[in-house]
Amino acid sequence: MSTVTVNISFQDRFLDSIDQIARHESRSRSELLREAARIYIERKERWNQIFAETSIQSSKQAFTEKDVLDEISLYRSEKRK
C-alpha cells in the first residue's frame, strides 16, 4: 500500500496534546493521527449504515415523531428500573 504525506495545521495547544498522548502511548504523532482518522471513518460509516437502515425501516412503517419520542421515553423509564 502506498502512502502520501499530508500537511495539516493545528493550534499549538492542540498539537501539544497530540504529542503528549503519542509519547504516553509510545508511538509517533503520525501513528496517533492515522488511528484517529481510521476510528472517525469507521464510526462515520457505522452511523451512515444505521441511518440508512433506519430510513428503510421507517419508510416501511408510518412512524411519527411522537412515536419515536414515546419509544425513547419508554426505553429510558425501563432502563431506570
Side-chain angles (χ1 to χ4, degrees):
M1 181 182 336
S2 66
T3 60
V4 176
T5 301
V6 178
N7 293 321
I8 302 174
S9 299
F10 291 109
Q11 293 178 343
D12 290 337
R13 188 179 72 226
F14 189 53
L15 188 58
D16 289 342
S17 296
I18 290 169
D19 289 340
Q20 182 180 3
I21 293 168
R23 275 191 307 276
H24 179 74
E25 296 181 359
S26 301
R27 57 180 163 168
S28 69
R29 179 190 293 166
S30 292
E31 288 173 316
L32 181 70
L33 293 174
R34 272 192 300 272
E35 182 180 357
R38 186 172 40 255
I39 290 169
Y40 176 83
I41 291 166
E42 289 171 358
R43 183 177 296 154
K44 193 73 162 168
E45 288 172 349
R46 276 185 294 193
W47 276 112
N48 287 341
Q49 183 180 10
I50 289 168
F51 287 131
E53 290 172 6
T54 303
S55 178
I56 291 168
Q57 291 300 318
S58 66
S59 67
K60 293 178 182 177
Q61 300 176 12
F63 289 120
T64 65
E65 184 175 344
K66 183 182 180 323
D67 294 332
V68 173
L69 294 174
D70 289 345
E71 191 64 31
I72 291 170
S73 185
L74 177 64
Y75 172 80
R76 288 178 177 164
S77 67
E78 289 176 356
K79 189 175 178 183
R80 279 183 245 150
K81 292 180 182 178

